[in-house]
Amino acid sequence: MPSAFQPFGATHGLTLLAGGLAVFALIRLGLAGGAKERFARGILAFFNLAAFGYSQAAWSSVEGGHDLDSALPFHLCDIAAILAGFALLTGNRRLALLTYFWGLAATVQALATPAISISFPHPAFVSFFVHHFAVVGAALYLPIVGGWRPEKPWWKSPLEAWLWTLLYAALAFCVNLALGTNFGFLARKPVNPSLLDHLGPWPVYLLWMAFIAFLCFSVLVLPFRRALR
Protein backbone atom coordinates (compact mmCIF):
# COMPACT_ATOMS: atom_id res chain seq x y z
CA MET A 1 0.00 0.00 0.00
CA PRO A 2 1.38 3.46 -0.90
CA SER A 3 1.83 5.83 2.01
CA ALA A 4 -0.77 8.56 2.52
CA PHE A 5 0.01 12.12 1.48
CA GLN A 6 0.03 14.68 4.28
CA PRO A 7 -0.71 18.24 3.09
CA PHE A 8 1.72 20.87 4.39
CA GLY A 9 4.08 18.22 5.72
CA ALA A 10 7.82 17.84 5.12
CA THR A 11 7.37 15.83 1.92
CA HIS A 12 5.02 18.45 0.54
CA GLY A 13 7.41 21.28 1.39
CA LEU A 14 10.47 19.55 -0.07
CA THR A 15 8.53 18.74 -3.24
CA LEU A 16 7.53 22.38 -3.67
CA LEU A 17 11.15 23.42 -3.17
CA ALA A 18 12.43 20.88 -5.70
CA GLY A 19 9.80 21.87 -8.26
CA GLY A 20 10.49 25.55 -7.78
CA LEU A 21 14.22 25.02 -8.29
CA ALA A 22 13.55 23.01 -11.47
CA VAL A 23 11.39 25.80 -12.89
CA PHE A 24 14.01 28.39 -11.95
CA ALA A 25 16.72 26.35 -13.67
CA LEU A 26 14.70 26.03 -16.89
CA ILE A 27 13.99 29.76 -16.96
CA ARG A 28 17.67 30.56 -16.43
CA LEU A 29 18.53 28.15 -19.24
CA GLY A 30 15.95 29.80 -21.46
CA LEU A 31 17.36 33.26 -20.79
CA ALA A 32 20.72 32.06 -22.10
CA GLY A 33 19.19 31.96 -25.58
CA GLY A 34 20.09 29.89 -28.61
CA ALA A 35 20.18 26.12 -28.30
CA LYS A 36 19.78 26.31 -24.52
CA GLU A 37 16.55 28.24 -24.89
CA ARG A 38 15.19 25.73 -27.43
CA PHE A 39 16.12 22.89 -25.10
CA ALA A 40 14.40 24.48 -22.08
CA ARG A 41 11.29 25.31 -24.09
CA GLY A 42 11.20 21.81 -25.56
CA ILE A 43 11.47 20.19 -22.13
CA LEU A 44 8.61 22.30 -20.78
CA ALA A 45 6.48 21.67 -23.86
CA PHE A 46 7.09 17.91 -23.62
CA PHE A 47 6.13 17.61 -19.95
CA ASN A 48 2.97 19.66 -20.59
CA LEU A 49 1.80 17.84 -23.70
CA ALA A 50 2.65 14.42 -22.24
CA ALA A 51 1.10 15.19 -18.83
CA PHE A 52 -2.14 13.30 -19.34
CA GLY A 53 -0.30 10.28 -20.73
CA TYR A 54 2.23 9.88 -17.94
CA SER A 55 -0.42 10.66 -15.33
CA GLN A 56 -2.62 7.86 -16.68
CA ALA A 57 0.34 5.48 -16.63
CA ALA A 58 1.18 6.44 -13.04
CA TRP A 59 -2.40 6.02 -11.80
CA SER A 60 -2.85 2.67 -13.58
CA SER A 61 -1.35 0.87 -10.58
CA VAL A 62 -3.62 2.61 -8.06
CA GLU A 63 -6.78 0.82 -7.01
CA GLY A 64 -9.79 2.95 -7.88
CA GLY A 65 -7.70 5.24 -10.07
CA HIS A 66 -9.76 4.64 -13.20
CA ASP A 67 -12.93 6.65 -12.55
CA LEU A 68 -14.15 9.13 -15.15
CA ASP A 69 -12.70 12.05 -13.20
CA SER A 70 -9.20 10.76 -13.90
CA ALA A 71 -9.87 9.00 -17.22
CA LEU A 72 -10.88 12.16 -19.11
CA PRO A 73 -8.54 15.17 -19.56
CA PHE A 74 -11.15 17.73 -18.57
CA HIS A 75 -9.86 19.14 -15.32
CA LEU A 76 -8.72 22.73 -15.74
CA CYS A 77 -5.09 21.75 -15.13
CA ASP A 78 -5.33 19.05 -17.82
CA ILE A 79 -6.55 21.59 -20.36
CA ALA A 80 -4.01 24.16 -19.13
CA ALA A 81 -1.17 21.69 -19.73
CA ILE A 82 -2.27 21.06 -23.32
CA LEU A 83 -2.63 24.78 -24.00
CA ALA A 84 0.74 25.48 -22.35
CA GLY A 85 2.52 22.94 -24.52
CA PHE A 86 1.17 24.44 -27.73
CA ALA A 87 1.74 27.99 -26.46
CA LEU A 88 5.43 27.18 -25.96
CA LEU A 89 5.71 25.63 -29.42
CA THR A 90 3.68 28.17 -31.39
CA GLY A 91 3.84 31.42 -29.44
CA ASN A 92 0.08 31.85 -29.95
CA ARG A 93 -1.10 34.90 -27.99
CA ARG A 94 -4.39 33.48 -26.70
CA LEU A 95 -2.81 30.19 -25.64
CA ALA A 96 -0.09 32.14 -23.82
CA LEU A 97 -2.71 34.32 -22.14
CA LEU A 98 -4.66 31.33 -20.80
CA THR A 99 -1.46 29.56 -19.76
CA TYR A 100 -0.33 32.61 -17.79
CA PHE A 101 -3.59 33.29 -15.98
CA TRP A 102 -4.70 29.69 -15.44
CA GLY A 103 -1.21 28.54 -14.55
CA LEU A 104 -0.57 31.17 -11.91
CA ALA A 105 -4.09 31.60 -10.54
CA ALA A 106 -5.33 27.99 -10.59
CA THR A 107 -2.43 25.56 -10.91
CA VAL A 108 -0.44 27.24 -8.14
CA GLN A 109 -3.45 26.63 -5.90
CA ALA A 110 -3.34 22.95 -6.90
CA LEU A 111 0.30 22.79 -5.82
CA ALA A 112 -0.45 24.48 -2.51
CA THR A 113 -3.43 22.25 -1.69
CA PRO A 114 -2.98 19.10 -3.81
CA ALA A 115 -6.04 16.94 -4.45
CA ILE A 116 -4.02 13.76 -4.02
CA SER A 117 -3.98 11.04 -1.36
CA ILE A 118 -0.76 9.18 -2.28
CA SER A 119 2.68 10.28 -1.14
CA PHE A 120 6.23 10.03 -2.45
CA PRO A 121 7.76 7.93 -4.00
CA HIS A 122 4.67 6.54 -5.73
CA PRO A 123 4.60 7.41 -9.48
CA ALA A 124 1.14 8.99 -9.05
CA PHE A 125 2.61 11.50 -6.60
CA VAL A 126 5.54 12.28 -8.89
CA SER A 127 3.35 12.65 -11.99
CA PHE A 128 0.93 14.97 -10.17
CA PHE A 129 3.63 17.43 -9.20
CA VAL A 130 5.56 17.18 -12.49
CA HIS A 131 2.33 17.93 -14.36
CA HIS A 132 1.41 20.95 -12.27
CA PHE A 133 4.93 22.35 -12.08
CA ALA A 134 5.17 22.04 -15.87
CA VAL A 135 2.10 24.29 -16.23
CA VAL A 136 3.42 26.83 -13.72
CA GLY A 137 6.83 26.71 -15.38
CA ALA A 138 5.24 27.48 -18.77
CA ALA A 139 3.17 30.29 -17.22
CA LEU A 140 6.38 31.94 -15.99
CA TYR A 141 8.51 31.04 -19.02
CA LEU A 142 6.22 32.66 -21.59
CA PRO A 143 6.47 36.22 -20.19
CA ILE A 144 10.00 36.04 -18.77
CA VAL A 145 11.72 34.31 -21.68
CA GLY A 146 9.16 34.36 -24.48
CA GLY A 147 8.24 38.01 -24.08
CA TRP A 148 4.47 37.55 -23.83
CA ARG A 149 2.63 40.61 -22.47
CA PRO A 150 -1.04 41.31 -21.67
CA GLU A 151 -2.86 43.74 -23.91
CA LYS A 152 -3.90 47.32 -23.21
CA PRO A 153 -6.00 48.48 -21.45
CA TRP A 154 -4.99 46.64 -18.29
CA TRP A 155 -8.37 44.97 -17.79
CA LYS A 156 -8.65 43.47 -21.29
CA SER A 157 -6.51 40.36 -20.79
CA PRO A 158 -7.85 39.51 -17.30
CA LEU A 159 -11.40 39.89 -18.59
CA GLU A 160 -10.68 37.67 -21.59
CA ALA A 161 -9.14 34.98 -19.37
CA TRP A 162 -12.10 35.24 -16.98
CA LEU A 163 -14.66 34.82 -19.78
CA TRP A 164 -12.81 31.74 -21.05
CA THR A 165 -12.84 30.44 -17.47
CA LEU A 166 -16.60 30.91 -17.24
CA LEU A 167 -17.00 29.07 -20.55
CA TYR A 168 -14.92 26.18 -19.18
CA ALA A 169 -17.00 26.19 -15.99
CA ALA A 170 -20.26 26.05 -17.97
CA LEU A 171 -19.02 23.13 -20.08
CA ALA A 172 -17.61 21.31 -17.04
CA PHE A 173 -20.88 21.82 -15.15
CA CYS A 174 -22.81 20.18 -18.01
CA VAL A 175 -20.34 17.30 -18.22
CA ASN A 176 -20.59 16.78 -14.46
CA LEU A 177 -24.39 16.62 -14.66
CA ALA A 178 -24.26 14.12 -17.51
CA LEU A 179 -21.49 11.86 -16.20
CA GLY A 180 -21.53 12.34 -12.43
CA THR A 181 -17.98 13.68 -12.47
CA ASN A 182 -16.47 16.58 -10.53
CA PHE A 183 -14.43 18.48 -13.08
CA GLY A 184 -13.37 21.89 -11.83
CA PHE A 185 -14.67 20.86 -8.39
CA LEU A 186 -17.96 22.37 -9.52
CA ALA A 187 -20.10 19.48 -8.21
CA ARG A 188 -18.50 19.20 -4.77
CA LYS A 189 -15.38 20.25 -2.89
CA PRO A 190 -12.23 18.13 -2.95
CA VAL A 191 -11.63 15.77 -0.04
CA ASN A 192 -8.23 17.30 0.74
CA PRO A 193 -8.08 20.70 2.50
CA SER A 194 -8.39 23.61 0.08
CA LEU A 195 -9.43 27.25 -0.22
CA LEU A 196 -12.95 26.08 -1.12
CA ASP A 197 -13.46 24.88 2.47
CA HIS A 198 -13.68 28.54 3.51
CA LEU A 199 -16.09 29.72 0.81
CA GLY A 200 -19.36 28.30 2.07
CA PRO A 201 -21.54 25.42 0.87
CA TRP A 202 -22.46 24.52 -2.69
CA PRO A 203 -23.47 26.50 -4.74
CA VAL A 204 -22.32 29.58 -2.80
CA TYR A 205 -18.66 28.67 -3.19
CA LEU A 206 -19.08 28.64 -6.99
CA LEU A 207 -19.90 32.35 -6.94
CA TRP A 208 -16.92 33.02 -4.72
CA MET A 209 -14.72 31.02 -7.09
CA ALA A 210 -15.78 33.23 -10.00
CA PHE A 211 -15.11 36.41 -8.00
CA ILE A 212 -11.73 35.24 -6.70
CA ALA A 213 -10.72 34.14 -10.20
CA PHE A 214 -11.27 37.62 -11.62
CA LEU A 215 -9.53 39.17 -8.61
CA CYS A 216 -6.49 36.92 -9.08
CA PHE A 217 -6.40 37.60 -12.83
CA SER A 218 -6.45 41.35 -12.12
CA VAL A 219 -3.58 41.04 -9.64
CA LEU A 220 -1.55 39.05 -12.17
CA VAL A 221 -1.36 42.02 -14.55
CA LEU A 222 0.32 44.19 -11.90
CA PRO A 223 3.88 43.07 -12.87
CA PHE A 224 3.19 44.56 -16.32
CA ARG A 225 1.75 47.89 -15.13
CA ARG A 226 4.60 49.94 -16.61
CA ALA A 227 4.27 48.32 -20.02
CA LEU A 228 0.49 48.85 -19.94
CA ARG A 229 0.65 52.58 -19.25
Side-chain angles (χ1 to χ4, degrees):
M1 287 289 293
S3 57
F5 173 71
Q6 297 295 327
F8 317 118
T11 300
H12 188 189
L14 289 172
T15 302
L16 294 180
L17 177 61
L21 290 174
V23 169
F24 176 77
L26 286 171
I27 290 175
R28 286 294 301 269
L29 198 63
L31 290 171
K36 292 180 179 179
E37 190 280 326
R38 291 191 295 272
F39 175 78
R41 181 158 39 92
I43 288 291
L44 272 176
F46 169 79
F47 278 110
N48 275 290
L49 291 174
F52 184 70
Y54 60 69
S55 295
Q56 287 294 293
W59 282 98
S60 64
S61 62
V62 179
E63 185 178 352
H66 295 284
D67 57 3
L68 283 175
D69 279 41
S70 58
L72 299 175
F74 206 60
H75 283 290
L76 187 63
C77 290
D78 293 325
I79 298 174
I82 296 170
L83 299 184
F86 283 110
L88 288 162
L89 295 177
T90 67
N92 180 275
R93 186 203 68 82
R94 180 164 287 112
L95 297 182
L97 176 145
L98 292 175
T99 299
Y100 178 75
F101 287 106
W102 285 358
L104 297 185
T107 309
V108 166
Q109 169 68 18
L111 289 170
T113 57
I116 187 172
S117 58
I118 300 171
S119 190
F120 184 83
H122 196 279
F125 175 91
V126 176
S127 69
F128 177 91
F129 281 96
V130 170
H131 170 184
H132 290 79
F133 267 113
V135 176
V136 173
L140 294 171
Y141 192 95
L142 288 164
I144 295 173
V145 180
W148 174 83
R149 295 292 182 269
E151 294 186 357
K152 297 179 182 179
W154 71 267
W155 48 264
K156 183 176 181 180
S157 292
L159 179 61
E160 182 179 351
W162 190 65
L163 292 175
W164 278 104
T165 306
L166 293 183
L167 176 60
Y168 162 79
L171 292 173
F173 190 84
C174 293
V175 172
N176 290 338
L177 285 178
L179 301 179
T181 49
N182 190 27
F183 293 118
F185 300 116
L186 298 175
R188 55 190 176 276
K189 299 176 184 180
V191 176
N192 290 38
S194 72
L195 175 64
L196 302 185
D197 295 333
H198 306 283
L199 301 183
W202 189 96
V204 174
Y205 78 83
L206 301 182
L207 300 176
W208 277 109
M209 284 173 65
F211 172 76
I212 292 172
F214 186 75
L215 181 63
C216 290
F217 293 166
S218 301
V219 170
L220 285 171
V221 299
L222 293 180
F224 306 99
R225 58 188 183 278
R226 288 187 178 181
L228 293 175
R229 288 175 183 171

